[in-house]
Amino acid sequence: MLGAIIGDIVGSRFEFNNTSEFDFELFTEECDFTDDTICTVAVADAILNGKTYRDATLEWCRRYPCPMGSYGGSFARWIRSSNPQPYGSFGNGSAMRVSAIGWLFNTREEVMEQAKRSAEITHNHPEGLKGAQAVALSVFMGRGGVAKHDILDEMRRFYPAFDEPRLGMNSFNETCQGTLPICLGIIERANSFEEAIRYAIAVGGDSDTIGAIVGAIAEAIWGVPEEIARTALTYLPHDIRTVYDDFCKAVVIKKD
Ligand SMILES: [Mg+2]
């Protein structure tokens, strides 16, 4: 979950101002958390505090109506609606928010089912559901110590061809099916959490969301370096930090 938040914060200043540099500064004053962090926290809050995914997502997004980078158009309408209904989306929003599910549920079946439920409040298109399930399952497998190679073999059943990460060559694409193949290609290429995050930004495109998805999976595989974790947490307001702290306690309890 923190991996997704880190990727979001690091990518925030590049979403509409891409870079193809690999050695950019990870954290600057221009960085902030965006919708990817807010929605990720909402999913964690739902699980930890017994809310529906729909209610928690509405609660958090309405509390933060104007994050850096703002919400996608259809999602913004969903947030403001008096009767929010799924709208058949296959946007990458279902995949960027799902990581806590891979940490907080303990069987593959539960992870797949909960990922579907978290997605279908808005992203009830088959590609929207698939994107959420692919990320949640990758996190679940990585957390369980499954080798990267085996996680990626499993992911080829979802996305048979990954995209090669080439700096500055990825075009802006907000769909699950346009985003997951590059994210998985980055995981395949990278050898550490930080390297994965740098690729996620430097390929270009929807930087904060690619950062969030890659960061979520990379955390489960490699863990997060302490210095990066510490710096990222300084960007979070108190209420988001509280959910993150509760999440950490729940994950530790599960490990014991
Ligand atoms: Mg965003």
Side-chain angles (χ1 to χ4, degrees):
M1 176 184 177
L2 184 58
I5 293 172
I6 291 167
D8 176 42
I9 294 171
V10 171
S12 61
R13 68 189 173 109
F14 299 114
E15 181 179 8
F16 302 114
N17 183 25
N18 279 183
T19 185
S20 55
E21 261 180 62
F22 195 78
D23 291 321
F24 63 90
E25 238 184 299
L26 289 178
F27 298 101
T28 73
E29 282 179 4
E30 292 173 318
C31 294
D32 202 353
F33 66 90
T34 84
D35 57 337
D36 306 71
T37 291
I38 296 164
C39 293
T40 294
V41 166
V43 168
D45 179 36
I47 301 163
L48 293 168
N49 296 305
K51 302 172 185 177
T52 65
Y53 293 117
R54 179 179 175 277
D55 287 353
T57 303
L58 288 167
E59 178 188 332
W60 281 92
C61 294
R62 286 171 177 171
R63 190 184 302 172
Y64 289 96
C66 305
M68 182 174 179
S70 74
Y71 296 104
S74 305
F75 188 73
R77 278 191 291 282
W78 182 82
I79 296 167
R80 288 195 303 267
S81 169
S82 57
N83 180 26
Q85 295 296 319
Y87 49 93
S89 177
F90 47 82
N92 53 22
S94 60
M96 60 71 161
R97 69 191 183 208
V98 78
S99 51
I101 289 173
W103 289 98
L104 293 173
F105 290 96
N106 285 328
T107 66
R108 180 193 171 102
E109 291 68 32
E110 275 182 300
V111 167
M112 293 292 278
E113 174 61 23
Q114 294 294 326
K116 175 170 171 281
R117 286 192 205 173
S118 76
E120 68 192 4
I121 60 170
T122 48
H123 292 55
N124 56 334
H125 186 283
E127 291 291 344
L129 305 180
K130 186 170 91 173
Q133 290 181 317
V135 175
L137 183 59
S138 296
V139 170
F140 177 71
M141 293 176 82
R143 156 203 168 201
V146 176
K148 182 178 93 167
H149 178 268
D150 295 326
I151 298 172
L152 293 174
D153 274 354
E154 180 77 29
M155 285 304 109
R156 284 193 181 85
R157 293 167 50 178
F158 291 73
Y159 301 98
F162 303 161
D163 290 338
E164 169 92 359
R166 285 183 293 164
L167 304 191
M169 296 301 284
N170 184 48
S171 52
F172 199 92
N173 186 319
E174 288 183 308
T175 69
C176 275
Q177 60 273 39
T179 304
L180 263 294
I182 184 69
C183 292
L184 294 168
I186 288 167
I187 294 292
E188 184 172 44
R189 170 73 70 84
N191 293 298
S192 71
F193 179 84
E194 182 172 340
E195 200 185 337
I197 292 289
R198 289 190 178 280
Y199 268 119
I201 309 310
V203 294
D206 189 3
S207 296
D208 56 332
T209 298
I210 297 174
I213 293 170
V214 167
I217 300 171
E219 175 188 16
I221 293 173
W222 292 291
V224 176
E226 223 175 288
E227 179 65 28
I228 294 178
R230 203 175 320 124
T231 310
L233 290 173
T234 65
Y235 286 85
L236 301 182
H238 180 73
D239 55 352
I240 290 182
R241 180 63 194 261
T242 301
V243 174
Y244 174 68
D245 289 343
D246 290 347
F247 166 83
C248 291
K249 284 178 208 149
V251 170
V252 170
I253 290 165
K254 280 180 188 296
K255 275 182 184 162
D256 292 346

